[in-house]
């Protein structure tokens, strides 16, 4: 007989766990095998997703288990889905059993839950069993709704699914549960190999297991779960910041999963702002009525002053101190943010004109309402780092201030407002030479951000309304990185989550990842906008007979003129004949080149500069060139444009998570 210790060593060596039962109440010492963005927090919570970048998250029991064709299994876990937003979450997550031979790194995030990808969904060779807790309705998987529990065998098209909830033991009534309610809940999953029956139950945490299960279905897993397999959890992030936590988990092969002691589970982090500190309370001296009244008066004055100038400051901001403005200074600079100081209101907030006390510097103060703290630290770090960018075609950022629910950004004031006002407004139109100078200026600012600075800075929201004109009518790019803030904080009210319709590169819509080449795409849309004096996409007011809103797509229109051998006819009619035909020809063709659907076919900003200043000839467009919109129309109904359309409405839960991947 082998000595016990040697046997143990052998087992460890083949990496298969002989123990068939485990229980974790918190995971600080579980030694889970984690990949992607999954992590165990210092409190011992398993945190699957914590970003908005379409990343994968997997967490498995440290060693794979040996399943047999006749193995039954049982598991239970307590989880919570905590979204930054009240009524919006990313797709959920899943408990899974997957063979060790499976390479999960080729799975996809978002609605694929880190389980499958678009090509292997439904493939019997996957041999993956999963129970999904899904908070998004994905029509492509025939999901029943946006809050369901599903049994998935090799496919995200669930074999059986039920609305999240449980049957009350006492009354038998069905009670809804909202998976994304941020409240912990418990799931029980049992597979009885003899009866080939799977049962799933769900209940609020600390409630006993409901007698009547939520789901019962007969599926023979003997060819699915048989072999050495990992057991654990899988998820993928998407554009909404949403955290999937597992608080405790137990499992048993051929037995009942050990019960979890809720008292021993780690606590979820508190959500929402800290309770108000007591310092606002005013101690009232109980002397005479008069004294009390006087104290109240003074107290109210102090309180008012305090509230008026209240700021939000956190420890991590110390290092950014020099870039921090006092709210009182900004308040005074803008005469209390009076309406007559209002320069404009855009997707990201309102901008006020002001003069800083002391230095008398003219500034523009942008108030961005922003409830979420998530990503704020990275954002401020980025703002401060961008504040060090110095270029004559970039709007200089001076610093910031934070208040509750609000971020204030301080820029140098640009006296001639934004370019879109001159292009589309009623004011005096720009002549061709001015337009070309602005185009070249913006290109050089962008080249500096992309290639010439110490780190690559991606703008993410290039468009005419983000180009401001200084006293000499030079174009200067502003609003760097704001799109990024919304990326992290994902505000459903704004359509600017990662940019602006018509300027969004198709791969950015699909993957959520901004690159220098997605900036080049937006720059292409900008070129056409400036040369033609029209917006990239214009909606017609009236619906047509089919009830569709007609849409004017600038790139398609310019391409049509090019095909007819007269691209120059696309030039803004307001210019009359007052433009240089060769220059306009270059700008228009360059616009289309930058708008190429394939990032690899777009020029870099360095090449763009060379084409613009004539130091390199602009290659002809290939005769086969099509715009993104045309390509989408050629593809099936769910094309990129379809995604754009839903992106713009940005209110439907189902479509929010589609954004990443449904374009394919
Ligand atoms: C997400 O978790 C990873 C791993 O712990 C950590 O490095 C990263 O900073 C976290 N990101 C966010 C946005 O919290
Ligand atoms: C999908 O996953 C399979 C593994 O199941 C992998 O072989 C394939 O390359 C992946 N496909 C894509 C497009 O990533
Ligand atoms: C999943 O369901 C969708 C919608 O019904 C269907 O088009 C698709 O073919 C299904 N895929 C698989 C793998 O069953
Ligand atoms: C449960 O949810 C369903 C679907 O959302 C809804 O129709 C029903 O009214 C809800 N029931 C209760 C008791 O909230």
């Amino acid at each position: 007989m082998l000595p016990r210790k040697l046997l143990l060593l052998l087992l460890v060596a083949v990496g298969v766990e002989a123990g068939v039962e485990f229980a974790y109440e918190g995971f600080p010492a579980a030694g889970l095998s984690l990949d992607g963005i999954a992590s165990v927090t210092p409190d011992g919570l398993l945190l699957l997703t914590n970003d908005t970048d379409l990343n994968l998250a997997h967490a498995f029991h440290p060693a794979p288990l040996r399943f047999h064709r006749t193995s039954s299994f049982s598991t239970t876990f307590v989880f919570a889905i905590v979204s930054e937003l009240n009524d919006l979450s990313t797709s959920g997550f899943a408990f899974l059993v997957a063979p060790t031979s499976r390479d999960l790194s080729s799975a996809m995030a978002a609605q694929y839950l880190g389980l499958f990808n678009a090509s292997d969904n439904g493939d019997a060779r996957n041999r993956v069993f999963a129970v999904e807790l899904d908070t998004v309705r994905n029509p492509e998987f025939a999901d029943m709704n946006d809050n369901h529990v599903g049994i998935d065998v090799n496919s995200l098209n669930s074999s059986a699914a039920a609305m999240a909830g449980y049957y009350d033991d006492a009354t038998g009534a069905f009670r809804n549960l909202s998976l994304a309610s941020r409240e912990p809940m418990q799931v029980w999953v049992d597979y009885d190999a003899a009866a080939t029956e799977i049962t799933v139950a769900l209940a609020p945490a600390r409630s006993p297991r409901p007698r009547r299960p939520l789901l019962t279905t007969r599926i023979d897993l003997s060819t699915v779960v048989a072999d050495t397999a990992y057991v654990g959890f899988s998820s993928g992030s998407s554009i909404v910041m949403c955290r999937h936590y597992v608080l405790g988990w137990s499992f048993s092969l051929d037995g009942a999963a050990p019960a979890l002691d809720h008292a021993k589970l780690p606590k979820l982090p508190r959500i929402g702002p800290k309770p108000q500190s007591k310092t606002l309370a005013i101690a009232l001296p109980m002397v005479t009525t008069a004294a009390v009244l006087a104290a109240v008066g003074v107290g109210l004055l102090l309180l008012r002053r305090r509230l008026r100038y209240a700021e939000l400051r956190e420890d991590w901001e110390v290092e950014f101190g020099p870039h921090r403005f006092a709210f009182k200074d900004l308040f005074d600079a803008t005469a209390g943010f009076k309406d007559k100081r209002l320069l404009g209101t855009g997707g990201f907030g309102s901008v006020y004109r002001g003069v800083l006390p002391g230095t008398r510097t003219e500034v523009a103060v942008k108030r961005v309402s922003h409830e979420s703290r998530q990503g704020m630290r990275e954002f401020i770090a980025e703002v401060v780092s961008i504040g060090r960018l110095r270029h004559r075609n970039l709007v200089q950022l001076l610093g910031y201030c934070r208040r509750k629910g609000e971020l204030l950004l301080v820029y140098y004031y640009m006296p001639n407002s934004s370019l879109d006002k001159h292009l589309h407004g009623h004011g005096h139109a720009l002549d061709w030479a001015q337009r070309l100078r602005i185009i070249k200026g913006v290109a050089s600012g962008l080249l500096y951000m992309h290639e010439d600075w110490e780190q690559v800075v991606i703008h993410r929201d290039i468009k005419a309304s983000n180009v401001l004109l200084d006293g000499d009518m030079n174009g200067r790019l502003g609003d760097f990185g704001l799109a990024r803030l919304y990326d992290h904080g994902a505000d459903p009210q704004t359509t600017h989550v990662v940019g602006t319709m018509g300027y969004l590169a198709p791969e950015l819509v699909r993957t959520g990842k901004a690159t220098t080449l997605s900036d080049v795409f937006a720059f292409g849309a900008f070129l056409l906008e400036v040369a033609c004096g029209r917006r990239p996409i214009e909606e017609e007011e009236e619906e047509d007979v089919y009830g569709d809103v007609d849409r004017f797509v600038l790139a398609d229109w310019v391409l049509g003129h090019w095909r007819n051998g007269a691209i120059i006819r696309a030039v803004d009619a307001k210019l009359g004949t007052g433009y240089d035909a060769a220059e306009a020809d270059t700008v228009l063709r360059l616009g289309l080149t930058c708008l190429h659907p394939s990032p690899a076919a777009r020029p870099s900003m360095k090449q763009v500069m060379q084409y613009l200043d004539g130091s390199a000839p602009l290659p002809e467009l290939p005769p086969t060139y099509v715009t993104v919109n045309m390509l989408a129309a050629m593809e099936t109904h769910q094309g990129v444009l379809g995604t754009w359309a839903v992106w713009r409405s940005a209110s439907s839960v189902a479509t929010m998570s589609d954004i990443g991947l449904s374009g394919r």
Side-chain angles (χ1 to χ4, degrees):
M1 238 184 77
L2 284 170
R4 192 183 150 78
K5 196 164 178 189
L6 186 57
L7 182 67
L8 209 73
L9 276 176
L10 279 173
L11 284 172
V12 170
V14 295
V16 179
E17 175 134 315
V20 289
E21 186 173 290
F22 56 81
Y24 301 116
E25 282 147 350
F27 301 89
L32 294 181
S33 151
L34 303 172
D35 75 53
I37 53 170
S39 62
V40 173
T41 70
D43 297 337
L45 293 157
L46 168 57
L47 173 57
L48 291 167
T49 56
N50 71 342
D51 69 13
T52 55
D53 277 340
L54 295 175
N55 281 313
L56 297 173
H58 298 117
F60 293 116
H61 180 63
L65 307 182
R66 172 81 77 189
F67 287 84
H68 298 281
R69 284 172 173 273
T70 54
S71 297
S72 295
F73 58 86
S74 163
T75 190
T76 182
F77 55 90
V78 177
F79 73 94
I81 299 180
V82 180
S83 174
E84 285 270 295
L85 305 173
N86 272 333
D87 46 2
L88 213 54
S89 74
T90 40
S91 306
F93 75 106
F95 165 78
L96 84 163
V97 184
T100 47
S101 54
R102 186 171 174 79
D103 175 14
L104 283 164
S105 65
S106 56
M108 302 204 297
Q111 72 267 39
Y112 289 89
L113 306 181
L115 294 172
F116 306 109
N117 62 36
S119 45
D120 70 0
N121 183 44
D123 190 329
R125 289 169 300 182
N126 291 335
R127 300 180 57 213
V128 172
F129 167 78
V131 173
E132 63 170 43
L133 298 149
D134 197 348
T135 54
V136 170
R137 178 177 166 268
N138 293 109
E140 75 256 51
F141 306 138
D143 280 351
M144 62 186 300
N145 64 10
D146 61 0
N147 183 45
H148 62 272
V149 180
I151 293 174
D152 296 352
V153 179
N154 299 326
S155 176
L156 285 154
N157 295 43
S158 303
S159 308
M163 204 163 87
Y166 63 102
Y167 296 93
D168 192 302
D169 279 350
T171 64
F174 185 76
R175 302 217 185 277
N176 288 344
L177 284 175
S178 166
L179 294 173
S181 63
R182 303 173 178 161
E183 296 296 329
M185 286 171 227
Q186 186 164 7
V187 172
W188 294 263
V189 179
D190 290 87
Y191 174 60
D192 179 341
T196 63
E197 189 174 72
I198 304 165
T199 52
V200 178
L202 175 70
R206 293 174 180 274
S207 300
R209 177 178 183 157
R211 279 202 295 274
R212 177 171 169 196
L214 176 64
L215 269 172
T216 308
T217 187
R218 297 197 60 172
I219 298 175
D220 184 358
L221 293 181
S222 65
T223 56
V224 180
V225 177
D227 220 340
T228 30
Y230 285 115
V231 292
F233 301 93
S234 173
S235 185
S237 54
S238 181
I239 55 165
V240 177
M241 169 58 79
C242 182
R243 297 186 173 82
H244 298 105
Y245 289 104
V246 182
L247 293 75
W249 173 34
S250 73
F251 182 94
S252 173
L253 206 53
D254 295 316
L260 295 171
D261 180 351
H262 286 268
K264 290 194 184 142
L265 299 181
K267 299 270 174 300
L268 285 172
R270 206 179 34 74
I271 303 150
K274 289 202 176 79
Q276 273 293 327
S277 76
K278 293 280 183 282
T279 49
L280 284 186
I282 303 151
L284 297 183
M286 303 303 261
V287 204
T288 63
T289 321
V292 169
L293 284 178
V296 168
V298 170
L300 283 177
L301 273 176
L302 286 175
L303 184 64
R304 209 182 109 186
R305 187 184 159 83
R306 200 181 162 124
L307 287 178
R308 172 184 274 183
Y309 301 132
E311 294 180 15
L312 188 62
R313 228 178 249 269
E314 289 173 280
D315 292 347
W316 54 261
E317 284 179 77
V318 171
E319 60 176 299
F320 306 125
H323 301 274
R324 173 98 200 198
F325 280 86
F327 182 71
K328 184 174 184 310
D329 287 348
L330 301 182
F331 189 89
D332 293 346
T334 55
F337 295 98
K338 280 234 169 56
D339 279 352
K340 67 179 196 332
R341 297 296 189 94
L342 188 64
L343 290 169
T345 304
F348 288 129
S350 304
V351 188
Y352 295 84
R353 179 178 180 174
V355 178
L356 287 181
T359 59
R360 313 296 306 159
T361 311
E362 278 203 288
V363 292
V365 181
K366 180 160 222 161
R367 298 184 81 161
V368 182
S369 77
H370 195 272
E371 288 302 333
S372 143
R373 295 191 185 180
Q374 182 53 51
M376 190 50 89
R377 182 179 189 155
E378 293 96 317
F379 180 74
I380 297 294
E382 194 166 300
V383 160
V384 167
S385 125
I386 286 170
R388 291 190 292 119
L389 286 169
R390 290 283 187 286
H391 191 279
R392 58 194 290 261
N393 295 106
L394 302 181
V395 177
Q396 175 76 45
L397 179 74
L398 297 170
Y400 77 100
C401 176
R402 288 175 65 207
R403 307 188 82 207
K404 190 165 180 302
E406 185 176 46
L407 175 70
L408 295 102
L409 297 169
V410 185
Y411 300 91
Y412 274 125
Y413 172 66
M414 294 290 129
N416 284 313
S417 81
S418 68
L419 176 57
D420 70 323
K421 297 227 171 71
H422 295 266
L423 290 177
H424 310 299
H426 303 296
H428 130 94
L430 300 166
D431 66 27
W432 176 256
Q434 283 173 319
R435 294 188 199 206
L436 190 63
R437 196 151 75 106
I438 291 164
I439 286 173
K440 286 183 176 172
V442 171
S444 102
L446 205 50
L447 173 62
Y448 173 76
M449 291 172 66
H450 284 181
E451 297 187 31
D452 293 342
W453 200 51
E454 58 201 48
Q455 71 194 63
V456 177
V457 180
I458 296 170
H459 187 284
R460 290 164 175 259
D461 204 9
I462 297 157
K463 56 179 172 180
S465 57
N466 276 342
V467 171
L468 300 172
L469 300 177
D470 67 14
D472 303 322
M473 296 301 271
N474 286 307
R476 292 178 176 241
L477 258 176
D479 260 1
F480 327 88
L482 265 188
R484 182 174 173 76
L485 179 66
Y486 279 86
D487 242 9
H488 280 274
D491 176 353
Q493 297 312 317
T494 171
T495 57
H496 296 243
V497 184
V498 289
T500 304
M501 250 279 282
Y503 302 85
L504 282 172
E507 77 279 6
L508 174 59
V509 175
R510 212 157 47 221
T511 65
K513 290 229 192 320
T515 63
T516 53
L517 290 171
S518 56
D519 268 1
V520 169
F521 184 94
F523 182 75
F526 167 78
L527 285 178
L528 298 190
E529 182 173 10
V530 177
C532 308
R534 300 191 70 166
R535 298 183 197 278
I537 293 180
E538 291 171 4
E539 302 264 311
E540 311 289 330
E541 297 281 290
E542 308 268 298
E543 291 181 357
D544 66 15
V545 288
Y546 304 107
D548 291 333
V549 177
D550 270 345
R551 174 198 304 257
F552 169 84
V553 180
L554 181 58
D556 293 2
W557 184 70
V558 174
L559 184 66
H561 284 302
W562 176 76
R563 289 239 166 93
N564 294 333
I567 196 170
I568 217 75
R569 290 213 188 116
V571 172
D572 193 346
K574 287 202 279 292
L575 291 171
T577 53
Y579 61 91
D580 180 313
E583 286 171 355
D585 175 78
T586 302
V587 168
L588 291 167
R589 283 189 300 119
L590 180 57
L592 291 175
T593 309
C594 294
L595 284 165
H596 199 288
S598 162
R602 291 173 213 150
S604 67
M605 281 315 294
K606 182 160 273 153
Q607 290 169 308
V608 166
M609 275 311 283
Q610 290 167 346
Y611 300 145
L612 282 173
D613 66 22
S615 60
L618 173 64
E620 267 308 325
L621 287 172
T624 52
Y625 180 96
V626 286
T627 66
V628 169
N629 184 41
M630 293 169 173
L631 195 65
M634 288 190 239
E635 284 173 0
T636 43
H637 359 286
Q638 263 278 35
V640 171
L641 197 73
T643 312
W644 271 359
V646 297
W647 181 242
R648 212 160 24 111
S649 70
S651 55
S652 146
V653 177
T655 51
M656 286 296 270
S657 95
D658 284 355
I659 299 311
L661 302 149
S662 68
R664 40 188 71 226

